[in-house]
Coordinates of all heavy atoms in Angstrom, one line a residue:
M147 N 25.0 -49.9 15.2 CA 25.3 -49.1 14.0 C 25.4 -47.6 14.3 O 26.2 -46.9 13.8 CB 24.1 -49.3 13.0 CG 24.3 -48.7 11.6 SD 25.8 -49.4 10.8 CE 26.2 -48.2 9.7
I148 N 24.5 -47.2 15.2 CA 24.5 -45.8 15.6 C 25.8 -45.5 16.4 O 26.4 -44.4 16.2 CB 23.2 -45.4 16.5 CG1 22.0 -45.4 15.6 CG2 23.4 -44.1 17.1 CD1 20.7 -45.2 16.3
L149 N 26.2 -46.5 17.2 CA 27.4 -46.3 18.0 C 28.6 -46.1 17.0 O 29.5 -45.2 17.2 CB 27.7 -47.6 18.8 CG 28.7 -47.4 19.9 CD1 28.2 -46.5 21.0 CD2 29.1 -48.7 20.5
L150 N 28.7 -46.8 16.0 CA 29.8 -46.7 15.0 C 29.8 -45.3 14.4 O 30.8 -44.7 14.2 CB 29.6 -47.8 13.9 CG 30.8 -48.0 13.0 CD1 31.9 -48.8 13.8 CD2 30.4 -48.7 11.8
L151 N 28.6 -44.9 14.1 CA 28.4 -43.5 13.5 C 29.0 -42.5 14.4 O 29.7 -41.5 14.0 CB 27.0 -43.3 13.2 CG 26.7 -42.5 11.9 CD1 27.0 -43.3 10.7 CD2 25.3 -42.0 11.9
L152 N 28.6 -42.6 15.7 CA 29.0 -41.7 16.7 C 30.6 -41.7 16.9 O 31.2 -40.6 17.0 CB 28.4 -42.0 18.1 CG 27.0 -41.5 18.3 CD1 26.5 -42.0 19.7 CD2 27.0 -40.0 18.3
I153 N 31.2 -42.9 16.8 CA 32.6 -43.0 16.9 C 33.3 -42.2 15.8 O 34.2 -41.5 15.9 CB 33.0 -44.4 17.0 CG1 32.6 -45.0 18.4 CG2 34.5 -44.6 16.8 CD1 32.8 -46.5 18.4
L154 N 32.7 -42.5 14.6 CA 33.2 -41.9 13.4 C 33.1 -40.3 13.5 O 34.1 -39.6 13.2 CB 32.5 -42.3 12.1 CG 33.0 -43.6 11.5 CD1 32.1 -44.1 10.4 CD2 34.4 -43.4 11.0
L155 N 32.0 -39.9 14.0 CA 31.8 -38.5 14.1 C 32.8 -37.9 15.1 O 33.4 -36.8 14.9 CB 30.3 -38.2 14.6 CG 29.8 -36.8 14.3 CD1 29.5 -36.7 12.9 CD2 28.5 -36.6 15.2
G156 N 33.0 -38.6 16.2 CA 33.9 -38.1 17.2 C 35.3 -38.0 16.7 O 36.0 -37.1 16.9
L157 N 35.7 -39.0 15.9 CA 37.0 -39.0 15.2 C 37.2 -37.8 14.3 O 38.2 -37.1 14.3 CB 37.2 -40.3 14.4 CG 38.6 -41.0 14.6 CD1 38.6 -41.8 15.9 CD2 38.8 -41.9 13.4
L158 N 36.1 -37.5 13.6 CA 36.1 -36.4 12.6 C 36.3 -35.1 13.4 O 37.1 -34.3 13.0 CB 34.8 -36.4 11.9 CG 34.8 -35.5 10.6 CD1 35.5 -36.3 9.5 CD2 33.4 -35.2 10.2
V159 N 35.5 -34.9 14.5 CA 35.6 -33.7 15.3 C 37.0 -33.6 15.9 O 37.6 -32.5 15.9 CB 34.6 -33.7 16.4 CG1 34.8 -32.6 17.4 CG2 33.2 -33.6 15.8
Y160 N 37.6 -34.7 16.3 CA 38.9 -34.7 16.9 C 39.9 -34.2 15.9 O 40.8 -33.4 16.2 CB 39.2 -36.1 17.5 CG 40.6 -36.2 18.1 CD1 40.8 -35.7 19.4 CD2 41.7 -36.7 17.3 CE1 42.1 -35.8 19.9 CE2 42.9 -36.7 17.9 CZ 43.2 -36.3 19.2 OH 44.4 -36.3 19.7
T161 N 39.8 -34.8 14.7 CA 40.8 -34.4 13.6 C 40.7 -32.9 13.3 O 41.7 -32.3 13.1 CB 40.5 -35.3 12.4 OG1 40.2 -36.6 12.7 CG2 41.7 -35.3 11.4
L162 N 39.4 -32.5 13.2 CA 39.2 -31.0 12.9 C 39.9 -30.2 14.0 O 40.5 -29.2 13.7 CB 37.7 -30.8 12.8 CG 37.1 -31.0 11.5 CD1 35.6 -30.8 11.5 CD2 37.7 -30.0 10.4
L163 N 39.6 -30.5 15.3 CA 40.2 -29.7 16.4 C 41.7 -29.8 16.4 O 42.3 -28.7 16.6 CB 39.7 -30.3 17.7 CG 38.2 -29.9 18.1 CD1 37.9 -30.5 19.4 CD2 38.1 -28.4 18.2
A164 N 42.3 -30.9 16.1 CA 43.7 -31.0 16.0 C 44.3 -30.1 14.9 O 45.3 -29.5 15.1 CB 44.1 -32.5 15.8
E165 N 43.5 -30.1 13.8 CA 43.9 -29.3 12.7 C 43.9 -27.8 13.1 O 44.8 -27.0 12.8 CB 43.0 -29.5 11.5 CG 43.6 -29.4 10.1 CD 44.8 -30.2 9.9 OE1 44.9 -31.4 10.3 OE2 45.8 -29.6 9.4
L166 N 42.8 -27.4 13.8 CA 42.7 -26.0 14.2 C 43.8 -25.7 15.2 O 44.4 -24.6 15.1 CB 41.4 -25.9 15.0 CG 40.2 -25.4 14.1 CD1 38.9 -25.4 15.0 CD2 40.4 -24.1 13.5
E167 N 44.2 -26.6 16.1 CA 45.2 -26.4 17.1 C 46.5 -26.1 16.3 O 47.3 -25.2 16.7 CB 45.3 -27.6 18.0 CG 45.9 -27.3 19.3 CD 45.1 -26.3 20.1 OE1 43.8 -26.5 20.2 OE2 45.7 -25.4 20.6
K168 N 46.8 -26.9 15.3 CA 48.0 -26.7 14.5 C 48.1 -25.3 13.9 O 49.2 -24.7 13.9 CB 48.1 -27.8 13.4 CG 49.3 -28.8 13.7 CD 49.4 -29.7 12.5 CE 48.5 -30.9 12.6 NZ 48.5 -31.7 11.3
S169 N 47.0 -24.9 13.3 CA 47.1 -23.6 12.6 C 47.2 -22.4 13.6 O 47.4 -21.3 13.2 CB 45.8 -23.4 11.7 OG 44.7 -23.4 12.6
R170 N 47.0 -22.7 14.9 CA 47.0 -21.6 15.8 C 48.4 -21.4 16.4 O 48.7 -20.5 17.2 CB 46.0 -21.8 17.0 CG 45.1 -20.6 17.2 CD 44.3 -20.8 18.4 NE 43.3 -21.9 18.3 CZ 42.9 -22.6 19.4 NH1 43.2 -22.2 20.6 NH2 42.0 -23.5 19.2
E171 N 49.4 -22.2 16.0 CA 50.7 -22.1 16.5 C 51.3 -20.8 16.1 O 51.1 -20.3 15.1 CB 51.6 -23.2 15.9 CG 51.6 -24.5 16.8 CD 52.3 -25.6 16.1 OE1 53.2 -25.4 15.3 OE2 51.9 -26.8 16.3
P172 N 52.1 -20.2 17.0 CA 52.7 -18.8 16.7 C 53.6 -18.9 15.6 O 54.4 -19.8 15.4 CB 53.4 -18.5 18.0 CG 53.6 -19.8 18.7 CD 52.5 -20.7 18.4
L173 N 53.5 -17.9 14.7 CA 54.4 -17.8 13.6 C 55.8 -17.4 14.0 O 56.0 -16.7 15.0 CB 53.9 -16.8 12.6 CG 52.5 -17.2 11.9 CD1 51.9 -15.9 11.3 CD2 52.7 -18.3 10.9
P174 N 56.8 -17.9 13.3 CA 58.2 -17.5 13.6 C 58.3 -16.0 13.3 O 57.6 -15.5 12.5 CB 59.1 -18.3 12.7 CG 58.2 -18.8 11.6 CD 56.8 -18.9 12.2
P175 N 59.2 -15.3 13.9 CA 59.4 -13.9 13.6 C 59.6 -13.7 12.1 O 60.4 -14.4 11.5 CB 60.6 -13.4 14.4 CG 60.9 -14.6 15.4 CD 60.2 -15.8 14.9
P176 N 59.0 -12.7 11.5 CA 59.2 -12.5 10.1 C 60.6 -12.1 9.7 O 61.3 -11.5 10.5 CB 58.3 -11.3 9.8 CG 58.1 -10.6 11.1 CD 58.2 -11.6 12.2
A177 N 61.0 -12.6 8.6 CA 62.4 -12.3 8.1 C 62.4 -10.8 7.7 O 61.5 -10.3 7.2 CB 62.8 -13.2 7.0
E178 N 63.6 -10.2 7.9 CA 63.7 -8.9 7.4 C 65.1 -8.8 6.7 O 65.9 -9.7 6.8 CB 63.7 -7.9 8.5 CG 64.4 -8.3 9.8 CD 64.1 -7.4 11.0 OE1 63.0 -7.6 11.6 OE2 65.0 -6.6 11.3
S179 N 65.3 -7.7 6.0 CA 66.6 -7.7 5.3 C 67.6 -6.8 6.1 O 67.3 -5.9 6.7 CB 66.4 -7.1 3.9 OG 65.9 -5.8 4.0
C180 N 68.8 -7.3 6.1 CA 69.9 -6.7 6.9 C 70.2 -5.3 6.3 O 70.3 -5.1 5.1 CB 71.2 -7.5 6.8 SG 72.7 -6.7 7.3
P181 N 70.3 -4.3 7.2 CA 70.6 -2.9 6.7 C 72.0 -2.8 6.1 O 72.3 -1.9 5.4 CB 70.5 -2.0 7.9 CG 70.6 -3.0 9.1 CD 70.1 -4.3 8.6
G182 N 72.9 -3.7 6.4 CA 74.3 -3.7 5.9 C 74.4 -4.3 4.6 O 75.0 -3.7 3.7
C183 N 73.9 -5.5 4.4 CA 74.1 -6.2 3.1 C 72.8 -6.6 2.4 O 72.9 -7.2 1.4 CB 74.9 -7.5 3.4 SG 74.0 -8.7 4.4
T184 N 71.6 -6.2 3.0 CA 70.3 -6.4 2.4 C 69.9 -7.9 2.3 O 68.9 -8.2 1.6 CB 70.1 -5.7 1.1 OG1 70.9 -6.4 0.1 CG2 70.5 -4.2 1.1
R185 N 70.8 -8.8 2.8 CA 70.4 -10.2 2.8 C 69.3 -10.5 3.8 O 69.2 -9.7 4.8 CB 71.6 -11.1 3.0 CG 72.4 -11.3 1.7 CD 73.3 -12.4 1.8 NE 74.7 -11.8 1.9 CZ 75.8 -12.6 1.7 NH1 75.7 -13.8 1.3 NH2 77.0 -12.0 1.8
L186 N 68.6 -11.6 3.7 CA 67.5 -11.9 4.6 C 68.1 -12.4 5.9 O 68.9 -13.2 5.9 CB 66.5 -12.9 4.0 CG 65.5 -12.4 3.0 CD1 64.6 -13.5 2.6 CD2 64.7 -11.2 3.6
V187 N 67.6 -11.8 7.0 CA 68.0 -12.3 8.3 C 66.7 -12.5 9.1 O 65.7 -11.9 8.9 CB 68.8 -11.2 9.1 CG1 70.2 -11.2 8.4 CG2 68.2 -9.9 9.1
A188 N 66.7 -13.4 10.1 CA 65.5 -13.7 10.9 C 65.3 -12.6 11.9 O 66.2 -11.9 12.2 CB 65.7 -15.0 11.7
G189 N 64.0 -12.4 12.2 CA 63.6 -11.2 13.0 C 64.2 -11.2 14.4 O 64.2 -10.2 15.0
D190 N 64.7 -12.4 14.9 CA 65.2 -12.4 16.3 C 66.7 -12.5 16.3 O 67.3 -12.7 17.4 CB 64.5 -13.5 17.1 CG 64.7 -14.9 16.5 OD1 65.2 -14.9 15.3 OD2 64.5 -15.9 17.1
W191 N 67.4 -12.4 15.2 CA 68.8 -12.5 15.2 C 69.4 -11.2 15.7 O 68.8 -10.1 15.5 CB 69.4 -12.7 13.8 CG 69.1 -14.1 13.3 CD1 68.5 -15.1 14.1 CD2 69.4 -14.7 12.0 NE1 68.4 -16.3 13.3 CE2 69.0 -16.0 12.1 CE3 70.0 -14.2 10.9 CZ2 69.1 -16.9 11.0 CZ3 70.1 -15.0 9.8 CH2 69.7 -16.3 9.8
L192 N 70.5 -11.3 16.4 CA 71.2 -10.1 17.0 C 72.2 -9.5 16.0 O 72.3 -8.3 16.0 CB 71.9 -10.6 18.2 CG 72.0 -9.6 19.4 CD1 70.6 -9.2 19.9 CD2 72.8 -10.2 20.5
I193 N 72.9 -10.3 15.3 CA 73.9 -9.8 14.4 C 73.8 -10.5 13.1 O 73.4 -11.7 13.0 CB 75.3 -10.1 15.0 CG1 75.5 -9.2 16.2 CG2 76.4 -9.9 14.0 CD1 76.7 -9.6 17.1
C194 N 73.9 -9.8 12.0 CA 73.8 -10.4 10.7 C 75.0 -11.4 10.5 O 76.1 -11.0 10.6 CB 73.9 -9.3 9.6 SG 74.0 -10.0 7.9
P195 N 74.7 -12.7 10.1 CA 75.7 -13.7 9.9 C 76.5 -13.5 8.7 O 77.5 -14.1 8.4 CB 75.0 -15.0 9.9 CG 73.6 -14.7 9.5 CD 73.3 -13.3 10.0
H196 N 76.1 -12.6 7.8 CA 76.7 -12.4 6.5 C 77.8 -11.3 6.6 O 78.8 -11.3 6.0 CB 75.7 -12.1 5.4 CG 74.6 -13.1 5.3 ND1 74.9 -14.4 4.9 CD2 73.3 -13.0 5.6 CE1 73.7 -15.1 5.0 NE2 72.8 -14.3 5.4
C197 N 77.4 -10.2 7.3 CA 78.3 -9.1 7.3 C 78.6 -8.5 8.8 O 79.2 -7.5 8.9 CB 77.8 -7.9 6.5 SG 76.2 -7.2 7.1
R198 N 78.0 -9.2 9.7 CA 78.2 -8.9 11.2 C 77.7 -7.5 11.5 O 78.1 -6.9 12.5 CB 79.7 -9.0 11.5 CG 80.2 -10.4 11.6 CD 81.6 -10.5 12.1 NE 81.8 -10.2 13.5 CZ 83.0 -9.9 14.0 NH1 84.0 -9.9 13.3 NH2 83.1 -9.6 15.3
T199 N 76.7 -7.0 10.8 CA 76.1 -5.8 11.2 C 75.2 -6.0 12.4 O 74.5 -7.0 12.4 CB 75.2 -5.2 10.0 OG1 76.0 -4.9 8.9 CG2 74.4 -4.0 10.4
L200 N 75.2 -5.1 13.3 CA 74.4 -5.3 14.5 C 72.9 -5.0 14.1 O 72.6 -4.0 13.5 CB 74.8 -4.3 15.6 CG 74.4 -4.5 17.0 CD1 75.0 -5.8 17.5 CD2 74.8 -3.4 17.9
L201 N 72.1 -6.0 14.4 CA 70.7 -5.8 14.0 C 69.8 -5.4 15.2 O 68.7 -4.9 15.0 CB 70.1 -7.1 13.4 CG 70.9 -7.7 12.3 CD1 70.5 -9.2 12.0 CD2 70.7 -6.9 11.0
R202 N 70.2 -5.8 16.4 CA 69.4 -5.6 17.6 C 70.3 -5.0 18.7 O 71.5 -5.3 18.7 CB 68.8 -6.9 18.1 CG 67.7 -7.5 17.2 CD 66.4 -6.8 17.4 NE 65.4 -7.4 16.6 CZ 65.2 -7.1 15.3 NH1 66.0 -6.1 14.8 NH2 64.3 -7.6 14.6
E203 N 69.7 -4.3 19.6 CA 70.4 -3.8 20.7 C 70.0 -4.6 21.9 O 68.8 -4.9 22.1 CB 70.1 -2.4 20.9 CG 71.2 -1.5 21.4 CD 70.8 0.0 21.3 OE1 69.7 0.3 20.9 OE2 71.7 0.8 21.6
V204 N 71.0 -5.0 22.8 CA 70.6 -5.7 24.0 C 70.7 -4.7 25.1 O 71.7 -4.0 25.3 CB 71.6 -6.9 24.3 CG1 71.2 -7.5 25.7 CG2 71.5 -7.9 23.2
C205 N 69.5 -4.5 25.8 CA 69.4 -3.5 26.8 C 70.3 -3.9 28.0 O 70.3 -5.0 28.5 CB 68.0 -3.3 27.3 SG 67.8 -2.3 28.7
S206 N 71.1 -3.0 28.5 CA 71.9 -3.3 29.6 C 71.2 -3.2 30.9 O 71.6 -3.7 32.0 CB 73.1 -2.3 29.7 OG 72.7 -1.0 29.6
G207 N 69.9 -2.7 30.9 CA 69.1 -2.7 32.1 C 68.4 -4.0 32.3 O 68.4 -4.5 33.4
C208 N 67.6 -4.4 31.3 CA 66.8 -5.6 31.5 C 67.2 -6.8 30.6 O 66.7 -7.9 30.8 CB 65.3 -5.3 31.1 SG 65.1 -4.8 29.4
G209 N 68.2 -6.6 29.7 CA 68.8 -7.7 29.0 C 67.9 -8.1 27.8 O 68.2 -9.1 27.1
R210 N 66.8 -7.4 27.5 CA 66.0 -7.7 26.4 C 66.5 -7.1 25.1 O 67.1 -6.0 25.1 CB 64.5 -7.4 26.7 CG 64.0 -8.1 27.8 CD 62.6 -7.7 28.2 NE 61.6 -8.2 27.3 CZ 60.3 -8.2 27.6 NH1 59.9 -7.7 28.8 NH2 59.4 -8.7 26.8
R211 N 66.1 -7.7 24.0 CA 66.6 -7.2 22.7 C 65.5 -6.2 22.2 O 64.3 -6.5 22.3 CB 66.7 -8.3 21.7 CG 67.7 -9.3 22.1 CD 67.5 -10.5 21.2 NE 68.4 -11.6 21.7 CZ 68.6 -12.7 20.9 NH1 68.0 -12.8 19.8 NH2 69.4 -13.6 21.4
H212 N 65.9 -5.1 21.6 CA 65.0 -4.3 20.9 C 65.7 -3.7 19.7 O 66.9 -3.7 19.6 CB 64.4 -3.2 21.8 CG 65.5 -2.3 22.5 ND1 66.0 -1.2 22.0 CD2 66.1 -2.5 23.7 CE1 66.9 -0.7 22.8 NE2 67.0 -1.4 23.9
A213 N 64.9 -3.1 18.8 CA 65.4 -2.6 17.5 C 66.4 -1.5 17.8 O 66.3 -0.8 18.7 CB 64.3 -2.2 16.6
L214 N 67.4 -1.4 16.9 CA 68.3 -0.3 17.0 C 67.6 1.1 16.8 O 66.6 1.1 16.1 CB 69.4 -0.4 15.9 CG 70.4 -1.5 16.1 CD1 71.3 -1.7 14.9 CD2 71.3 -1.1 17.3
G215 N 68.2 2.1 17.3 CA 67.6 3.4 17.1 C 66.6 3.9 18.1 O 66.2 5.0 18.0
H216 N 66.3 3.1 19.1 CA 65.4 3.6 20.1 C 66.3 4.4 21.1 O 67.3 4.0 21.5 CB 64.8 2.4 20.9 CG 63.7 1.7 20.1 ND1 63.3 0.5 20.4 CD2 63.0 2.1 19.0 CE1 62.3 0.1 19.5 NE2 62.1 1.1 18.7
R217 N 65.8 5.5 21.5 CA 66.5 6.3 22.5 C 66.4 5.7 23.9 O 67.3 5.8 24.7 CB 65.9 7.7 22.5 CG 66.4 8.5 21.3 CD 66.0 10.0 21.4 NE 66.7 10.6 22.6 CZ 66.3 11.8 23.1 NH1 65.2 12.4 22.7 NH2 67.0 12.3 24.1
F218 N 65.3 5.0 24.1 CA 65.1 4.4 25.4 C 64.6 3.0 25.2 O 63.9 2.7 24.2 CB 64.1 5.2 26.3 CG 64.5 6.6 26.6 CD1 64.0 7.6 25.8 CD2 65.4 6.9 27.6 CE1 64.4 8.9 26.0 CE2 65.8 8.2 27.8 CZ 65.3 9.2 27.0
C219 N 64.9 2.1 26.1 CA 64.5 0.7 26.0 C 63.0 0.7 26.2 O 62.4 1.3 27.1 CB 65.1 -0.1 27.1 SG 64.4 -1.8 27.3
P220 N 62.3 0.0 25.2 CA 60.8 0.0 25.3 C 60.3 -0.9 26.5 O 59.1 -0.9 26.7 CB 60.4 -0.6 24.0 CG 61.6 -1.3 23.4 CD 62.8 -0.6 24.0
F221 N 61.2 -1.6 27.1 CA 60.8 -2.6 28.2 C 61.0 -2.0 29.5 O 60.2 -2.2 30.4 CB 61.5 -3.9 28.0 CG 61.3 -4.5 26.7 CD1 62.3 -4.6 25.8 CD2 60.0 -5.1 26.3 CE1 62.1 -5.2 24.5 CE2 59.8 -5.6 25.1 CZ 60.8 -5.7 24.2
C222 N 62.1 -1.3 29.7 CA 62.4 -0.8 31.1 C 62.7 0.7 31.1 O 62.9 1.3 32.2 CB 63.6 -1.6 31.7 SG 65.1 -1.2 30.9
G223 N 62.7 1.3 29.9 CA 62.9 2.8 29.9 C 64.3 3.3 30.0 O 64.6 4.5 30.1
R224 N 65.3 2.3 30.1 CA 66.7 2.7 30.3 C 67.2 3.3 28.9 O 66.9 2.8 27.9 CB 67.5 1.5 30.6 CG 68.9 1.8 31.1 CD 69.7 0.5 31.2 NE 71.1 0.7 31.5 CZ 71.6 0.8 32.7 NH1 70.8 0.7 33.7 NH2 72.9 1.1 32.8
P225 N 67.9 4.5 29.0 CA 68.4 5.0 27.8 C 69.4 4.1 27.1 O 70.2 3.4 27.7 CB 69.2 6.3 28.3 CG 68.7 6.5 29.7 CD 68.3 5.2 30.2
G226 N 69.3 4.0 25.8 CA 70.2 3.1 25.0 C 71.6 3.7 24.9 O 71.8 4.9 25.0
E227 N 72.6 2.8 24.8 CA 73.9 3.3 24.6 C 74.2 3.7 23.2 O 74.4 2.8 22.4 CB 74.9 2.2 25.1 CG 75.2 2.3 26.6 CD 74.7 1.0 27.3 OE1 73.5 0.8 27.5 OE2 75.6 0.1 27.5
R228 N 74.2 4.9 22.9 CA 74.5 5.4 21.6 C 75.9 5.8 21.5 O 76.4 6.5 22.3 CB 73.6 6.6 21.2 CG 72.1 6.3 21.2 CD 71.6 5.7 19.9 NE 72.3 4.5 19.6 CZ 72.1 3.8 18.4 NH1 71.4 4.3 17.5 NH2 72.7 2.7 18.2
R229 N 76.6 5.3 20.5 CA 78.0 5.6 20.3 C 78.1 6.7 19.2 O 77.4 6.6 18.3 CB 78.8 4.4 20.0 CG 79.0 3.5 21.2 CD 79.5 2.1 20.7 NE 78.4 1.5 20.0 CZ 77.6 0.6 20.5 NH1 77.8 0.3 21.8 NH2 76.7 0.0 19.9
Ligands
ZN187 ZN1 74.3 -8.2 6.6
ZN188 ZN1 65.6 -2.5 29.1

């Protein structure tokens, strides 16, 4: 009888831990609105699919994306290409 109780308790703890693990998953990048058409775009999109406004800049030095308007790449310090 005690064994059964222990198994049940173990199962309960396991379920709780699994639940905790699930809630710790990283959240997707928050949605933001496109500066061109104000429609919602995902935080990691490069170009707005609605109006083709450039949302992110790809650094030519390290290839990482960063927000428009930075004078220098926040990852490698390379000056951004401003036109
Ligand atoms: Zn847009
Ligand atoms: Zn860079």
Side-chain angles (χ1 to χ4, degrees):
M147 190 61 202
I148 290 178
L149 194 70
L150 195 75
L151 216 72
L152 275 178
I153 289 171
L154 272 175
L155 202 73
L157 222 80
L158 196 77
V159 169
Y160 179 80
T161 320
L162 273 174
L163 281 179
E165 210 53 48
L166 270 176
E167 205 61 49
K168 243 187 279 170
S169 62
R170 232 188 295 155
E171 268 171 34
L173 293 166
E178 43 191 76
S179 58
C180 166
C183 65
T184 69
R185 279 195 252 199
L186 281 183
V187 289
D190 58 347
W191 288 357
L192 210 63
I193 289 165
C194 173
H196 306 293
C197 66
R198 286 183 71 198
T199 295
L200 198 65
L201 304 167
R202 292 276 181 279
E203 216 167 3
V204 177
C205 173
S206 53
C208 62
R210 295 174 80 163
R211 301 164 183 193
H212 55 89
L214 284 171
H216 288 160
R217 285 187 65 197
F218 302 97
C219 170
F221 303 109
C222 70
R224 191 186 172 93
E227 274 116 282
R228 300 273 60 187
R229 285 164 293 263

